Amino acid sequence: MLDAAPATAFTLNGEPVRVPADPAARLTRILRDELGLTGTKVGCDAGDCGACTILVDSDTACACLTPLAQVEGAALTTVEGLATDPIGRRLQSAFLAAGAAQCGICTPGMLIAATALLRANAAPSESEIADALGGVLCRCTGYRKIIDAVADAAADTTVSTPSPQAGRAVGARIARLDGREKVEGRDFFGADAIPPDALWLKVIRSPFPRARFTFGDFDAFLASHPGLVRIFTAADVPGRNLHGVIPPFADQPVFAEREARFRGEAVAMVAGTRAAIDRLDANAFPVAWQGQPSVQTMDAALAPDAPRLHANRPGNILTRGRVARGEADAALATADVTVSGSFETGFVEHAYIEPEAGFARRVGDRIEVTACTQSPYMDRDDLALVIGLPPESVRIVPTAVGGGFGSKLDLSVQPYIAIAAWHLNRPAALVYSRPESISTTTKRHPARMSVTVGATRDGKLTALRFAGDFNTGAYASWGPTVANRVPVHASGPYLVPNYRAETRAVHTNLVPAGAFRGFGVPQAAIAVEQLYDALADKLGVDALEFRILNALTATDPTVTGQVLGAGVGFRACLESLRAPRAKARAAAAAFNRSADGPRRRGVGVAGMWYGCGNTSLPNPSTMRIGLKRDGRFALHQGAVDIGQGSNTVIPQIAADAIGVPLAVIDRVSADTDLSPDCGKTSASRQTFVTGRATQLAGQAIRALILRQANAGPAAAIEPGDGRVLIRDGDVVRSLDLATLPLDSHGYVLAAEETFDPPTAPLDADGQGIPYAVYGFGAHMAEVEVDTELGTVRVLHITAAHDVGRAINPTLVEGQIEGGVAQGLGMALMEEFLPGRGENLHDYLIPTIGDVPPITSILVEDPSPVGPMGAKGIGEQALIPTAPAILNAIADATGIRINRTPATPDRIRAALLAGHP
Amino acid sequence: MHLRPKSLDEAMAFLSEERAVVMAGGTDLYPAFVDRPPPARILDITAISGLRGIVREADHWRIGGATTWTDIARASLPPAFHALKAAAREIGSLQIQNRATIAGNLCNASPAADSVPPLLALDASVELASASGTRTLPLADFIKGNRRTEKRPDELLTAVLIPGIAEQARSVFLKLGARRYLVISIVMVAANILRTADGRIAHARVAVGSASAVATRLANLEAALASAPAHTPAGSVVAEAHLAPLAPIDDVRASGAYRRDAALTLVRRALAEADGDA
């Protein structure tokens, strides 16, 4: 029969259901909205990411591509149904124990795909696991722990680390404390908690890189579109129509006023019922566009007669950065050996699997925003300006974050949902589509860099000169940070006595570039670490030994004149690569000798350093820990966990600082109404800065408890039910918590401590103390190049990192493996072309089949400032991967790739040019 | 409106009266409507009986239009279908292959459709049915250009027909993409080669995809292979001029020049692999 069926009947996780809904509806909508099962995630609506993978009978399907009608009579399994399935349950435990879930947004899809595999194949090989999971993208883990977890589940060899006893939390490989929700599909991400009565929003965006516009008849448009409620434009912004992550540079309007400055910029917004918004064709919106001459490259933007994007920024220069030490020009002129090179990198998209999402509601004269974010207090303060409220009248409730990597530091959906909820006095929701996420949120800055390096004949670096332009797009975002961070880091962690690095952040009519794991340092490393190899070649010395010879030590001044004094484990990282590198080089040489075909193997290394936290700016975190009447501790864990693990690492630090078992610590979320400001999750600062604040707060509440009992500093604290025992040698005192008064937060005892890393301003030459702590590392890449096709297979990455102290080695490895995967993508396949690649099939990130085995080497040279000696690892892990791979390609082929990504066509062209 | 008829007659009768977007697995249709309202009227062919499955008939194989790529990958088929089965495992992800159909892939007519070179190498035809009758077209004539086919709005692609010839041919599919899984091809090649007992090439089919608006067979190469002396390594027969039918373009995945260069390498490798030199 041809009539639409009134209801579709199927079995869902073993229960029969009938759904009276549009038979053409995507199954993701039915599961999430009609049936309330939000464990099935939506990452692209296009079958490109696999986050929505479910089982239809025994086979996997993307629920986003499956119409409701097609599951009539079928048996569906979603992540919510795995707990009652023996294979599913085993996989959940294995994922948790192995650290296979980081942010957790891909986890349901991975678990379902793995369930289908293990039902059909009880003992899969690694390649069979990869084949089965190849359709699910993960941006956090680098996939290695996922492969391990599936193998563990298959063999039923999962080993769970027990919750550590007092004093044993730091250093323990415990499973992430928020992991159970993630593997069971119960964690709420930005799109998962939207109230049913919310109005939905659609943002109207410029189709031109630069355009003026005039609006048509809104009343007629609303009247002809039932279900639409209201249109908003710049005139409806209650406060300041401007936002920006660095207040002095705030320049981005919520809605463009006269002129849109990039393709995808918002000019208006429509609110309506979800059905009406679904039906809405944005092309029908009453607006007339007049495209204007635009600048879409840095060359065009820097031309003398270029149109200026911002009146107060002559030459389209947003900011400049500079660090100078010694006499770079003179030293290069007299150096025994010099090499020079120019390098270029493209836009890189964060490609987290969770598009930006959230909802807002107005509560009296306050606004509450529940959304995914890396920076709740920054969101609060900026939204307060947009809505025209005092900051205390804005509440930010962070959801779980399905990957951030820097882009979710900036506002995305938040101003739109807040403005709509404020005016309409109804919850307002906005979930970015994948094209909307890619085309409008920040990217990694494209860079164009010229570098000259000089050394003495015996291989000591004497000078380095670096000039870099960074395409910052239409608005400032983190452009100033990139321009300032790069000159401080461009030398790498080497003793370079004569140095000058100058940068410019250049505006163009393109999507804003902002923060992305490393703030420009990865781009600089691609240039400089390749030139160090070229210099070593020219000197005839080994590339690794050259780095060891020049490695910065604790007593050497950095390029900003800072002497770190302690905690410089770079040389140890390099030395740890000696043996694996000798082995890898021998293996590559043997392969190249025996292979007469087009495949050549090579080995490359690269080093890195990265300053943790803001550059010479205040950067505090405040931690509150309270002892509750029930004898448990409340930890105000305000360091947003975007998958990197602060929900686990911070409690580990707290437990050992207080001296109690980890199991007695309860997390309070990063909700700005509940927890003090732990700053933003960026710049590899949370383990270091919030960790240190936590250590201080833990020590403080420990002291308060001991004081209650008149106990000495070595006494043991044993929390019990409604009391705390303090055991001081043979003396045991019981603190009866029921009898003690409660403070304003409801705690018997509480401590709040702030830590701000000790830095000092940089002078005009960039001399000073930009960071209190640096992380160090070095990677080795082994690659195989198919010289006829220009394709590269990365065979193995060995990653040595000085993390000071590994608070949780499993999570540290997870950061390293995920950073390597992103570095590999940046090296070989990732480039966003505005207007052309706004999806996850044209914009490619590595799949499970692209990330090779990764061997992590953890070096622990304790930082005197970090908690228990710990340093950051989040960004460090990505920086050396791409240059190590590019150096390995050069080792294999003799060809140096100066333009990333090193796609097959670029490598092949370089090979043809090099070997005519 | 989502129509999901149970019989072919119902579907054809409907299409003879009204227009609808025809959908099978939905894996190309839904991605086209990420940021836009979906089409007003969809005709879903996945419930039509008899449209899914592979059967050997008197002188040909019949693959029903609603047969999924997983059905094809799991089917027991002669050696000549090896390239098709390999391509089936490269179309999107497993999730896609479990729902996407052969009719959908052909009617979508993407220049990068992985199935087309192997089907060209199998001399495939398509069966188009409408209320006014059924016709059969060679696949090479069915796909007219980027996203363009000979299918009329009132027709359904009901089956792919493959002649039962050279079933013992060595069959190779090589795909070049910028990553391992879930990747749109930069270039792909299918080759089916059957040698006689005395080492001559009795049957040669070589097709290249993603290097022209429609995947194409390399007729001059096939002729050169067929006339090559016995025991000539097939890969050694390939000359640049044989790739003349290709017209590769520059896009986000690669330059046109690279595609031509890579196609030459892949054709040589596919033929070498068909000779047993992996």
Side-chain angles (χ1 to χ4, degrees), chain A residues 238-307:
Chain A
R240 186 179 79 156
N241 183 26
L242 216 53
H243 63 91
V245 285
I246 306 175
F249 289 94
D251 59 359
Q252 185 163 0
V254 178
F255 298 108
E257 293 188 18
R258 275 169 296 279
E259 181 175 298
R261 295 187 179 92
F262 73 96
R263 185 181 174 279
E265 179 159 15
V267 300
M269 156 173 92
V270 185
T273 63
R274 182 144 208 214
I277 291 295
D278 278 350
R279 280 194 306 268
L280 179 63
D281 181 355
N283 293 322
F285 186 81
V287 57
W289 302 100
Q290 301 98 42
Q292 303 291 315
S294 63
V295 289
Q296 298 202 58
T297 64
M298 286 196 281
D299 281 338
L302 293 168
D305 55 346

Side-chain angles (χ1 to χ4, degrees), chain A residues 169-244:
Chain A
V170 168
R173 287 182 175 270
I174 56 161
R176 61 172 54 245
L177 299 175
D178 54 3
R180 183 50 69 182
E181 301 92 287
K182 293 183 191 295
V183 299
E184 292 179 357
R186 291 186 287 110
D187 213 2
F188 283 121
F189 293 85
D192 294 342
I194 293 169
D197 63 334
L199 289 170
W200 285 66
L201 305 175
K202 173 102 183 163
V203 180
I204 306 299
R205 301 180 178 281
S206 171
F208 294 96
R210 183 170 169 231
R212 303 236 163 96
F213 52 91
T214 43
F215 292 123
D217 185 343
F218 286 173
D219 291 339
F221 182 76
L222 290 174
S224 64
H225 287 77
L228 297 188
V229 172
R230 182 166 167 175
I231 293 168
F232 298 87
T233 68
D236 301 297
V237 178
R240 186 179 79 156
N241 183 26
L242 216 53
H243 63 91

